[in-house]
């Protein structure tokens, strides 16, 4: 082979190599061939993953392939009936009251010290002095008349009396069905939720939305706790899981009444069945609280009558909680109580006390942090759980 031929062959080889490599490059730019976006790019689209995302590599300098947004799948909240039954075990600590009473009453021929023990048990469970005295009086009479220590009979008597104390006949339905206003037009049922921060108010609003969705109702939420952006974010997250819209303000400290107004307006325009409005629970002075809640209620009523004002009360706060409850009851007409954190206390007697003092029924009880751990309050099931 001559030198000339050799040079020609080398030049030819270089040209062929260049053409091949160029072709591959072209293919890559058109998005053909091997993917230019590494699979982990899909994960980095999640804002939460930003902190842990790998630094961009040369390959990611090229335009990213569109990753289709995942289709949101809506959760189906748990049916409402039977929830208290499912959560019954969470009342275990409250149940110790019933067990203690049963064991004392079954001793027969009760002495004064036995009755003192009964009184102490009831007071420790936050039943309150008035209802405790009433219950003791009826139990004294009935056990004397019966003259028996038969556990089943004693149990039956105690069940009846506890039930009478809890108030089996109170109307505990949530006003959540659309109403026809003075103008003859249908309006969503509106629920205003009040209470001190930390009591579980925002989670209760979200859980209530799920209760209504489980019953086939359409719901709009109003995040009128404008002092905590986290509260609005929390509602949005929970709402999106069940397809519930949340009306909020992007400005921290915005007028809560304006947000409440917009929420009811949106609910009305969308033909929603219910609108639930969360409020800020700062315990300012009574006058400020009265002004704020009064204004929220007033402006909501311009769109639809406020059918329900629910007070959220933390069952673990005892007498302190009762004082807070009284302040709220003084500034706004409360129509029902949601007793939260009943899973973390032996003071189930607060059901009786709060109903007596505020003259309104406990409508729901919170028995955990799970999305469906809110149950309609059913007196019979509650008392049975105490005695089981
Ligand atoms: P808010 O400040 O009143 O709006 O209170 P949040 O809704 O933010 O709740 C405060 C805390 O209480 C959160 O950690 C909730 O998960 C918790 N919480 C709410 N309801 C219950 C309940 O019924 N049981 C338990 N164990 N925790 C609850």
């Amino acid at each position: 082979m001559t030198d000339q031929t050799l040079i020609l062959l080398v030049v030819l080889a270089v040209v062929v190599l260049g053409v091949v490599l160029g072709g591959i490059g072209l293919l890559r730019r058109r998005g053909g061939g091997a993917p230019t976006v590494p699979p982990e790019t899909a994960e980095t689209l999640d804002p939460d993953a930003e902190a842990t995302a790998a630094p961009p590599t040369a390959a990611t300098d090229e335009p990213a392939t569109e990753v289709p947004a995942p289709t949101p799948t809506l959760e189906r909240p748990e049916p409402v009936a039977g929830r208290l039954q499912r959560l019954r075990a969470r009342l275990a600590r409250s149940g110790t009251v019933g067990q203690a009473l049963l064991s004392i009453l079954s001793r027969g021929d009760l002495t004064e010290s036995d009755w003192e023990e009964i009184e102490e048990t009831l007071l420790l469970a936050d039943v309150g002095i008035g209802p405790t005295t009433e219950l003791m009086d009826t139990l004294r009479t009935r056990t004397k008349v019966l003259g028996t220590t038969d556990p089943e009979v004693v149990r039956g008597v105690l069940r009846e009396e506890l039930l009478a104390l809890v108030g089996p006949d109170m109307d505990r339905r949530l006003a959540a069905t659309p109403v026809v206003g003075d103008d003859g037009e249908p309006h969503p049922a509106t629920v205003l939720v009040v209470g001190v921060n930390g009591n579980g108010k925002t989670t209760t609003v979200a859980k209530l939305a799920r209760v209504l969705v489980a019953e086939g109702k359409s719901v709009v939420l109003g995040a009128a706790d404008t002092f905590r952006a986290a509260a609005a974010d929390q509602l949005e997250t929970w709402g999106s899981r069940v397809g519930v819209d949340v009306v909020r303000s992007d400005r921290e400290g915005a007028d809560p009444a304006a947000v409440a107004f917009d929420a009811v307006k949106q609910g009305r325009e969308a033909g929603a069945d219910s609108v639930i409005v969360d409020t800020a629970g700062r315990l300012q002075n009574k006058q400020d609280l009265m002004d704020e809640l009064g204004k929220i209620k007033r402006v909501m009523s311009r769109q639809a009558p406020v059918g329900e004002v629910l007070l959220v009360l933390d069952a673990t706060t005892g007498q302190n909680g009762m004082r807070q409850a009284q302040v709220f009851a003084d500034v706004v007409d409360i129509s029902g109580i949601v007793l939260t954190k009943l899973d973390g206390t032996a003071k189930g007697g607060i059901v009786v006390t709060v109903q007596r003092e505020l003259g309104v029924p406990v409508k729901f009880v919170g028995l955990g942090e799970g999305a469906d751990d809110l149950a309609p309050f059913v007196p019979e099931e509650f008392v049975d759980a105490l005695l089981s």
Side-chain angles (χ1 to χ4, degrees):
M1 198 182 297
T2 65
D3 281 356
Q4 258 184 337
T5 321
L6 197 66
I7 290 166
L8 205 66
L9 277 176
V10 170
V11 169
L12 206 64
V14 168
V15 169
V16 167
L17 199 67
V19 168
V20 169
L21 288 179
I24 290 173
L26 198 65
L27 272 177
R28 284 172 64 115
R29 268 191 296 281
R30 283 187 184 151
T36 56
V37 183
E40 53 275 21
T41 306
E43 278 164 36
T44 59
L45 291 178
D46 174 1
D48 292 335
E50 254 173 39
T52 53
T57 60
T60 54
D61 289 341
E62 296 181 33
T65 306
E66 286 275 315
V67 177
T71 326
T73 41
L74 294 183
E75 285 175 24
R76 219 185 247 241
E78 180 190 334
V80 183
R83 282 196 191 184
L84 195 54
Q85 202 60 29
R86 170 179 67 85
L87 297 165
R88 187 186 170 116
R90 307 249 176 110
L91 284 167
R93 292 178 65 190
S94 295
T96 55
V97 185
Q99 288 302 326
L101 293 178
L102 264 184
S103 84
I104 306 168
L105 288 170
S106 303
R107 288 175 197 161
D109 281 337
L110 299 184
T111 62
E112 265 321 296
S113 99
D114 291 327
W115 285 108
E116 275 168 23
E117 214 181 314
I118 290 180
E119 182 175 41
E120 199 184 353
T121 308
L122 289 166
L123 291 177
L124 280 176
D126 265 356
V127 173
I129 188 76
T132 294
T133 313
E134 267 174 48
L135 182 61
M136 300 241 307
D137 287 348
T138 37
L139 285 177
R140 267 183 206 266
T141 316
R142 290 195 66 185
T143 49
K144 200 180 282 174
V145 170
L146 283 168
T148 177
T149 54
D150 182 291
E152 276 317 298
V153 178
V154 173
R155 192 173 193 286
V157 170
L158 186 58
R159 183 183 188 278
E160 269 177 37
E161 295 306 330
L162 284 175
L163 197 55
L165 215 55
V166 171
D169 300 328
M170 293 178 112
D171 185 358
R172 297 172 198 275
R173 286 169 303 177
L174 184 73
T177 316
V179 286
V180 176
D182 295 338
D183 53 5
E185 295 285 319
H187 298 278
T190 62
V191 182
L192 181 62
V193 182
V194 303
V196 174
N197 276 346
N199 279 4
K201 190 167 35 64
T202 302
T203 12
T204 296
V205 168
K207 288 173 178 173
L208 271 176
R210 295 176 66 97
V211 163
L212 296 179
V213 169
E215 288 177 338
K217 296 201 166 71
S218 54
V219 186
V220 171
L221 296 181
D225 180 354
T226 55
F227 292 92
R228 286 191 310 155
D233 293 345
Q234 193 183 348
L235 280 185
E236 269 183 344
T237 307
W238 285 56
S240 67
R241 287 165 57 181
V242 285
V244 164
D245 282 341
V246 177
V247 174
R248 65 178 291 177
S249 167
D250 288 331
R251 198 166 50 80
E252 205 155 309
D255 182 3
V259 176
F261 181 86
D262 286 347
V264 184
K265 185 163 180 277
Q266 179 168 321
R268 194 173 161 184
E269 287 167 0
D273 294 312
S274 315
V275 177
I276 313 175
V277 174
D278 185 21
T279 57
R282 296 163 308 144
L283 255 194
Q284 321 97 318
N285 68 54
K286 204 161 165 180
Q287 189 59 46
D288 285 350
L289 190 68
M290 193 180 294
D291 291 348
E292 184 166 305
L293 292 180
K295 184 175 171 197
I296 292 176
K297 203 172 162 198
R298 244 184 349 267
V299 299
M300 281 170 73
S301 316
R302 282 194 216 134
Q303 289 289 333
V306 177
E308 188 91 60
V309 180
L310 289 181
L311 172 71
V312 176
L313 195 64
D314 178 343
T316 66
T317 55
Q319 284 311 308
N320 190 27
M322 282 310 307
R323 273 191 295 278
Q324 295 168 6
Q326 203 60 62
V327 172
F328 278 91
D330 287 348
V331 302
V332 66
D333 278 339
I334 290 163
S335 57
I337 299 153
V338 180
L339 210 49
T340 59
K341 310 187 194 179
L342 209 52
D343 52 318
T345 179
K347 296 182 174 294
I350 192 153
V351 170
V352 176
T353 312
V354 70
Q355 290 187 153
R356 285 282 175 104
E357 298 213 356
L358 303 191
V360 291
V362 169
K363 295 196 169 180
F364 287 89
V365 285
L367 285 160
E369 298 195 60
D372 292 329
D373 291 346
L374 183 79
F377 183 71
V378 185
E380 289 79 2
E381 289 182 15
F382 177 70
V383 170
D384 284 341
L386 294 189
L387 295 172
S388 63

